[in-house]
Amino acid sequence: MFSISPAAVTLYEVGVYWAVGDAGTALHAGRGLHPGQFSTAERRARMHTGLARAWWQWDKPQQTADALLHALRVSPAEVRDRPAIRRVAGDLIGRHPRTAGVRELASALGARLRTERTAKTENG
């Protein structure tokens, strides 16, 4: 059976606020979240990727990079295998290559991102 914790509800709130374009409220809602509140690596990574989306929406590349790196270290698949998160990472890498941590992120995702860009270019 799956149990719903207060932290899971808060993480859901972060996603809802991000989805409606209110990054500030998303980040405010998520300010008390920490990895220890989640029982699986995937949920811990989702916390980081949810916050990364809000940071990116709020035009904060350093915080975005930090959150994506945390997610990558906890559960690489949550960053590598989710198209929406790969897009955020790819945009971050392309627009802010000198931001601390972006080289590490690019290195971890580089071959996959190059392949996707090449496929998009070849397919129009």
Side-chain angles (χ1 to χ4, degrees), residues 3-123:
S3 65
I4 303 294
S5 68
V9 172
T10 300
L11 183 56
Y12 184 80
E13 280 183 81
V14 169
V16 169
Y17 287 121
W18 166 83
V20 299
D22 192 348
T25 302
L27 293 166
H28 181 74
R31 74 190 180 286
L33 292 176
H34 58 84
Q37 294 171 307
F38 300 95
S39 61
T40 68
E42 291 78 14
R43 295 309 298 166
R44 289 188 291 275
R46 286 281 176 120
M47 179 200 76
H48 293 300
T49 59
L51 294 171
R53 288 173 143 182
W55 284 120
W56 184 244
Q57 190 176 63
W58 215 17
D59 196 28
K60 300 291 185 181
Q62 185 61 66
Q63 291 87 341
T64 304
D66 293 344
L68 288 174
L69 285 171
H70 285 300
L72 187 68
R73 290 175 186 137
V74 172
S75 179
E78 289 297 316
V79 179
R80 291 182 180 145
D81 298 340
R82 292 180 59 209
I85 302 306
R86 284 195 321 261
R87 266 191 304 280
V88 170
D91 289 348
L92 174 66
I93 291 163
R95 294 180 193 168
H96 301 280
R98 291 185 178 90
T99 299
V102 167
R103 282 185 185 207
E104 181 182 345
L105 186 62
S107 177
L109 302 176
R112 192 174 299 261
L113 289 172
R114 279 193 300 278
T115 300
E116 288 171 6
R117 286 188 186 134
T118 301
K120 285 180 186 176
T121 302
E122 291 171 357
N123 295 326

